[in-house]
Amino acid sequence: MAEEPCQCSDCQRFYKEHDRLIREFPTFKQQQELNWASIQSFRTLCSKVTNELQKKLSESESNEDITNEEKYIYDAEITEALDELESVNAYLYSIEALMERIFDTQLSDKIELKFKEVAKELAPDPLNLDRLILNRLFHQTPDFPDKKNIN
Ligand SMILES: [Zn+2]
């Protein structure tokens, strides 16, 4: 028997987002653009924050108004975050290089239609009537764990 996918709130949020991205970006080209924009926005935000933190760190070093102890705690926190962000920025840079390779691929309109078709099967509109009926049936399945004692 296949294992039930995890239904915790984090996973459910992920499934929902996953399906939404397939539904709203159902072609190969749209997925390319979406993922490129997503990597780029993540990189932009991370490097901007990295710059700001570096600025804060050098300001703090020359600031006489705060005690040495305060300075030490705050600077340590920033330094730690900067180390982490540096790794993240390096990973994002690598991902971007790989994404460029994916961007070299172009598919014909016919294949794009296949993408749209499969996307519809994978992530149908949750407000679609068929889907609502299916969901209702699914939640009434008697062997669902929390319904076991009711029957
Ligand atoms: Zn989970």
Side-chain angles (χ1 to χ4, degrees):
M1 196 180 97
E3 212 175 298
E4 278 280 325
C6 177
Q7 296 298 331
C8 78
S9 60
D10 280 346
C11 287
Q12 280 189 339
R13 215 154 25 91
F14 169 77
Y15 304 143
K16 225 173 132 187
E17 190 65 358
H18 173 273
D19 284 7
R20 184 182 71 81
L21 291 175
I22 291 181
R23 190 165 53 246
E24 291 179 14
F25 303 90
T27 68
F28 184 82
K29 192 172 189 321
Q30 283 173 313
Q31 286 290 330
Q32 278 177 322
E33 288 170 359
L34 167 71
N35 284 286
W36 183 253
S38 154
I39 288 293
Q40 291 300 327
S41 60
F42 198 9
R43 273 196 73 195
T44 304
L45 191 56
C46 283
S47 42
K48 180 74 180 162
V49 170
T50 302
N51 289 344
E52 298 274 312
L53 288 178
Q54 274 162 348
K55 224 183 344 179
K56 267 238 158 10
L57 199 59
S58 57
E59 273 167 17
S60 154
E61 275 158 7
S62 57
N63 189 343
E64 306 291 327
D65 293 340
I66 46 177
T67 67
N68 272 338
E69 205 188 345
E70 270 179 302
K71 208 178 268 190
Y72 180 75
I73 294 167
Y74 189 54
D75 288 359
E77 195 185 327
I78 291 184
T79 306
E80 201 186 314
L82 279 172
D83 283 346
E84 300 273 10
L85 284 174
E86 210 166 282
S87 310
V88 169
N89 284 330
Y91 292 139
L92 288 175
Y93 187 76
S94 309
I95 294 172
E96 186 187 310
L98 291 171
M99 283 290 304
E100 269 172 6
R101 303 283 287 273
I102 293 174
F103 242 75
D104 290 341
T105 301
Q106 268 186 9
L107 298 177
S108 71
D109 289 351
K110 253 191 193 144
I111 305 295
E112 286 288 31
L113 276 177
K114 190 71 194 163
F115 264 81
K116 277 189 180 169
E117 192 187 309
V118 171
K120 260 202 190 106
E121 284 165 20
L122 284 176
D125 186 347
L127 298 177
N128 176 296
L129 193 62
D130 292 344
R131 173 78 166 204
L132 289 175
I133 291 167
L134 254 177
N135 279 348
R136 204 159 305 142
L137 285 176
F138 177 69
H139 288 297
Q140 280 172 357
T141 309
D143 56 3
F144 223 53
D146 55 344
K147 301 257 171 102
K148 238 172 208 161
N149 297 326
I150 297 171
N151 294 315

